[in-house]
Amino acid sequence: MAEVLVVVEASQAAGVKKVTLEMLTAARELGGVSAVVFGGEGAAAQFADKLAEYGAQKIYAGEGEEIDGYLVAPKATALAELVRRVQPAAVLLASTQEGKEIAGRLAVKLDNGLLTDAVAVAPDGTATQVVFAGAVIVTSQVTKGVPIITLRPNSMTPVPAPASPVVEQLTVHATDADKLARVVERVAEQKGSRPELTEASVVVSGGRGVGNADNFKLVEEMADLLGGAVGASRAAVDSGFYPHQFQVGQTGKTVSPQLYVALGISGAIQHRAGMQTSKTIVAVNKDAEAPIFELADFGVVGDLFKVVPQADEEIRKRR
Ligand SMILES: Cc1cc2nc3c(=O)[nH]c(=O)nc-3n(C[C@H](O)[C@H](O)[C@H](O)COP(=O)(O)OP(=O)(O)OC[C@H]3O[C@@H](n4cnc5c(N)ncnc54)[C@H](O)[C@@H]3O)c2cc1C
């Protein structure tokens, strides 16, 4: 059975990200699962147990300064070498900024096709993408080379399938061109108790309708009651209500939670681009004509300052 390479998304602080477990689950339908870990010395050992739990039969470890000291370019070079050597049935990466950049570079290096933002991958490598604010579902195949596919976080439920992986060290041959930008410092972001936005199964987002930064407490409170992450529209971010790293949309993060709650968000196409694949969408907006209601599974036409406290009350009762 041909190998399927899964490029691992993980961090020292958070461990193996959920999207990696989703990719490992998807990869099992395509072939023998090989995880590719890039990071500092010892990264593969740190993540091996989790990767084994979700079916990795092999772990390729690309570790050390040649990888960790630079941005994504050496990772793409190392991955291209690996693909040429093992001729995998497919390569799966996460639809994150880094995953997509590696995928793009890899496709260019191999003169290969590439599919991004897939929400499902069939055993024959056909990818499903959801486009135009969820209005169109596209199925596509790479027609040149091996299927290189990036998978959107929260697209599927990770299912464990324990395996006993062997670890193979990769010798990384980063080129001079790969080393044109190096990492000079890493500062770990102070994390609160909330889940990471792109990985959360519940996201509560606030828009311009929230009114000001102080009122965002209302959004945070609902998110905390639901064990979710907080998001924001660009208008809310641009108005200084909430920091940019929480922006959802075309120029922000892409989320695909089980539940997305939009509070005081009109539903502009650029916002929808970042949340349209959410499984259930709830919107609260005082304007019955707001476009968000075209997308919402449940809509409440009303003032969020009246609706949200009442909803919180009901959630508390059911906890
Ligand atoms: C190139 C480009 C990229 C962009 N990228 C993004 C992006 O990544 N993410 C993004 O979000 N936007 C993005 N935008 C901006 C986008 O076009 C919209 O301007 C933005 O999404 C609007 O944010 P909003 O819905 O919060 O604000 P508005 O459109 O002003 O909507 C506010 C809503 O709140 C409702 N409201 C007001 N008060 C209350 C209340 N008390 N109770 C209930 N409802 C209330 C109003 O009825 C209204 O529908 C981008 C635009 C461009 C051109």
Side-chain angles (χ1 to χ4, degrees), residues 208 233-234 247-251 264 266 270-271 285 303-304:
R208 202 198 309 264
S233 72
R234 177 156 158 184
Q247 182 179 312
V248 172
Q250 184 185 313
T251 44
S266 59
Q270 297 90 352
H271 186 80
N285 197 302
D303 183 344
L304 70 93

Side-chain angles (χ1 to χ4, degrees), residues 3-317:
E3 287 179 59
V4 178
L5 301 180
V6 172
V7 179
V8 171
E9 288 258 342
S11 72
Q12 291 256 320
V16 177
K17 295 202 176 166
K18 187 174 158 223
V19 65
T20 302
L21 310 182
E22 294 176 52
M23 289 191 288
L24 292 170
T25 304
R28 297 203 299 264
E29 301 296 315
L30 304 170
V33 182
S34 296
V36 184
V37 177
F38 290 121
E41 295 294 346
Q46 186 189 346
F47 307 131
D49 287 352
K50 200 71 176 172
L51 300 175
E53 189 186 336
Y54 283 83
Q57 294 166 359
K58 195 167 192 178
I59 298 174
Y60 292 104
E63 299 175 333
E65 183 58 20
E66 289 279 284
I67 287 286
D68 211 30
Y70 299 91
L71 302 179
V72 297
K75 296 179 186 174
T77 297
L79 199 55
E81 269 181 36
L82 185 62
V83 171
R84 286 192 193 102
R85 177 157 65 87
V86 306
Q87 300 286 316
V91 183
L92 301 186
L93 303 98
S95 267
T96 56
Q97 276 178 346
E98 174 160 316
K100 285 200 264 194
E101 189 173 345
I102 297 173
R105 286 171 180 267
L106 179 67
V108 170
K109 283 176 193 294
L110 299 173
D111 192 18
N112 198 106
L114 163 64
L115 296 169
T116 58
D117 290 330
V119 293
V121 185
D124 67 350
T126 304
T128 305
Q129 294 148 306
V130 179
V131 299
F132 294 131
V136 179
I137 293 174
V138 182
T139 50
S140 335
Q141 278 182 331
V142 165
T143 55
K144 186 168 185 208
V146 357
I148 301 175
I149 300 170
T150 73
L151 189 77
R152 266 199 180 170
N154 279 328
S155 295
M156 55 188 72
T157 307
V159 181
S164 305
V166 288
V167 179
E168 182 184 319
Q169 289 294 328
L170 291 179
T171 310
V172 179
H173 303 107
T175 63
D176 288 346
D178 292 338
K179 296 182 176 179
L180 294 176
R182 66 169 293 122
V183 176
V184 289
E185 188 186 15
R186 283 195 171 86
V187 180
E189 199 183 317
Q190 291 299 323
K191 268 187 66 78
S193 52
R194 295 190 188 106
E196 210 274 312
L197 181 56
T198 56
E199 302 245 304
S201 49
V202 176
V203 174
V204 182
S205 286
R208 202 198 309 264
V210 174
N212 60 43
D214 216 33
N215 290 345
F216 247 78
K217 285 195 197 104
L218 207 68
V219 183
E220 292 181 328
E221 195 178 354
M222 184 181 258
D224 290 342
L225 279 170
L226 294 168
V230 175
S233 72
R234 177 156 158 184
V237 168
D238 287 351
S239 307
F241 300 173
Y242 222 62
H244 177 256
Q245 73 257 35
F246 298 100
Q247 182 179 312
V248 172
Q250 184 185 313
T251 44
K253 302 258 167 72
T254 301
V255 300
S256 193
Q258 293 297 321
L259 173 64
Y260 187 87
V261 184
L263 304 175
I265 293 177
S266 59
I269 186 83
Q270 297 90 352
H271 186 80
R272 292 157 70 144
M275 45 66 74
Q276 68 201 7
T277 54
S278 304
K279 311 296 174 295
T280 301
I281 297 170
V282 175
V284 181
N285 197 302
K286 66 181 184 186
D287 175 8
E289 303 295 318
I292 192 77
F293 288 128
E294 292 163 13
L295 197 63
D297 298 285
F298 298 101
V300 181
V301 179
D303 183 344
L304 70 93
F305 298 102
K306 290 191 182 134
V307 175
V308 172
Q310 289 177 53
D312 287 355
E313 190 68 36
E314 287 302 316
I315 297 165
R316 271 191 208 94
K317 279 188 205 158

